[in-house]
Amino acid sequence: MTSNSYLSVKALTKYIKRKFDADPHLRDVYVTGELSNVKVHSSGHIYFTLKDDSSRINATMFRSQASKLSFKPEEGMKVFIRGDVNVYEASGAYQLYAQTMEPDGIGGLFVAFNQLKERLQKEGLFNPNFKQPIPQFPKTIGVLTATTGAAIRDICTTINRRYPQAEILIYPTLVQGAGAAPNITENIYLANRHGFCDVLIVGRGGGSIEDLWAFNEEIVARAIFESRIPVISAVGHETDTTIADFVADLRAPTPTAAAELAVPNQQQLYQQILHHQSILHQMMTSKVNFERNRLTKLQNSYPLATPERLYRPFIERLVQVDLSLQNAAKLYMMNEKSKLQTIDSRMKLYSPVHQLTAAKQQLAHRTQTLTNRMQQQLAQNKVAFTNQLRMLEALNPLALMSKGFSVAYKEKNVVKSVHELEKGDVIQVTFQDGYAEAKIEKKHVQKEGEAK
């Protein structure tokens, strides 16, 4: 054989694939088995192995079919699968391409119910600590249900019969079908935004699990959990249990029961009011009698019979205190007056007017003293001057010259002795009324003992 006689792997695989494609029994197969190696890819495709006690086959469910599953495939789960068998050329292996998948023994919805219930329970959505109390006397009740069903009629009839004081606000809601869950969720959020209602009743009448399935949707459960308004779930009959029942603040077995739980019974309230009124009347009568007897007893008591004796010691004490207060006030006023006088004296002493007057007096005294001293000094100076004047007059050469004496000058010097003159000297002789010049012709020196 030549090399051209050999098939390539790709050609052989394509040939085998065409055989699979041509086989009508492999185009639509129903197979059951146990899931193994379940892997949910980020693209949404599910890859798994379907096996039994003796065989296994690789299988794939693409996202378009996987998104329709109402439950999450898990390891070890027995399932029924409808699909086709074909060859995956890249690996050359045949595998099962699943179109639908149903759990074995129990329905897919039941599996999905249990899975969601378990997950929400782990998150705490069923925790009783998060349950809100239902108001005892609601003013407005919001009802989220279909307006065409029996549930709305039962709810409204029951509320109007039991507690007509409450106002009913209906939010028409789809409770069945593909758009039911989003519509229920939207109306719950809408009622919370409005804020008109004190409590919400969310539910519908009975039906199959498929009919009630909207109340098992996760978005409905989270909307009920996030509602600020307390929610009463009223889904189906008493035997029907949904996720909404677990999340709601109060679960009612039927819509009628929900209405009964939402409002009080006015007849019972009336009976309770009468009962409480009777008890209150008895209590008040007993209390009034007790207080009347107590008042009578107090009125007849010794202090109230002679009340003045109660406050007599206080009056005496008051008088004493008043006297003490008056005396203390007088003493205080005297002390303060004395202090005031002292301060006034000090103020006058250091007053600028007082100091100015004293300064003026001191100035006048010193002026007078200075005047006296000056007059005294002037008198003394006058006497001294007179004496000096007299002495000067006595020594005045002019006075002597008036008596006939004259003064001789030689070259402007007074000639005091004849020895200062020589013959021929010219001297100036000054008289009282003038002078004359003379020439010395002869001089005579006086001898001792000679008369002048």
Side-chain angles (χ1 to χ4, degrees), residues 100-138:
T100 63
M101 181 187 299
E102 290 292 337
D104 183 14
I106 54 177
L109 293 179
F110 184 73
V111 174
F113 173 84
N114 286 331
Q115 290 177 344
L116 179 60
K117 177 184 174 184
E118 182 180 359
R119 182 156 55 87
L120 295 182
Q121 188 172 18
K122 290 181 180 177
E123 292 184 19
L125 269 69
F126 305 158
N127 192 331
N129 295 331
F130 295 140
K131 305 293 185 185
Q132 303 180 85
I134 306 300
Q136 188 175 3
F137 303 103

Side-chain angles (χ1 to χ4, degrees), residues 170-344:
I170 299 174
Y171 289 87
T173 306
L174 291 175
V175 294
Q176 182 176 339
N183 190 237
I184 295 171
T185 304
E186 180 182 355
N187 282 344
I188 291 174
Y189 289 135
L190 181 64
N192 277 270
R193 287 198 298 271
H194 289 167
F196 299 145
C197 302
D198 300 310
V199 62
L200 297 179
I201 297 176
V202 181
R204 53 154 290 158
S208 64
I209 187 172
E210 290 81 5
D211 296 336
L212 306 180
W213 191 252
F215 296 91
N216 287 323
E217 294 287 352
E218 183 176 352
I219 57 174
V220 175
R222 295 196 181 278
I224 293 174
F225 182 76
E226 294 171 2
S227 174
R228 298 189 306 275
I229 304 173
V231 176
I232 300 176
S233 67
V235 183
H237 301 299
E238 186 170 1
T239 56
D240 298 325
T241 303
T242 63
I243 297 296
D245 294 331
F246 293 106
V247 183
D249 299 294
L250 182 63
R251 187 240 175 182
T254 62
T256 301
E260 293 176 348
L261 294 173
V263 296
N265 188 324
Q266 66 173 356
Q267 293 299 328
Q268 293 179 356
L269 290 177
Y270 181 69
Q271 293 300 326
Q272 290 178 1
I273 291 173
L274 290 179
H275 177 66
H276 291 158
Q277 186 178 16
S278 176
I279 294 176
L280 183 61
H281 178 73
Q282 293 176 3
M283 292 176 61
M284 291 300 297
T285 302
S286 176
K287 182 68 175 177
V288 169
N289 291 334
F290 174 78
E291 294 297 337
R292 182 181 289 116
N293 294 333
R294 186 164 170 264
L295 177 61
T296 302
K297 186 177 180 180
L298 291 174
Q299 287 175 341
N300 295 329
S301 63
Y302 173 76
L304 292 180
T306 55
E308 68 278 3
R309 296 184 181 180
L310 291 175
Y311 50 80
R312 184 182 297 167
F314 298 100
I315 293 177
E316 294 175 353
R317 176 64 178 166
L318 177 62
V319 172
Q320 293 178 358
V321 171
D322 183 60
L323 291 175
S324 299
L325 182 62
Q326 291 181 7
N327 293 332
K330 288 180 180 178
L331 180 60
Y332 176 77
M333 292 297 293
M334 290 176 63
N335 291 333
E336 293 301 318
K337 187 176 180 179
S338 176
K339 292 180 181 178
L340 182 61
Q341 290 176 350
T342 302
I343 294 173
D344 183 63

Side-chain angles (χ1 to χ4, degrees), residues 402-442:
S402 64
K403 292 178 180 181
F405 293 96
S406 60
V407 180
Y409 294 91
K410 178 184 178 181
E411 297 177 355
K412 297 182 181 179
N413 295 318
V414 177
V415 180
K416 298 179 181 178
S417 175
V418 71
H419 295 289
E420 296 177 2
L421 298 175
E422 296 295 338
K423 185 180 177 180
D425 290 340
V426 177
I427 62 174
Q428 185 179 27
V429 182
T430 302
F431 301 95
Q432 180 184 4
D433 52 354
Y435 67 88
E437 291 182 351
K439 186 176 181 180
I440 301 298
E441 293 292 338
K442 184 181 178 181

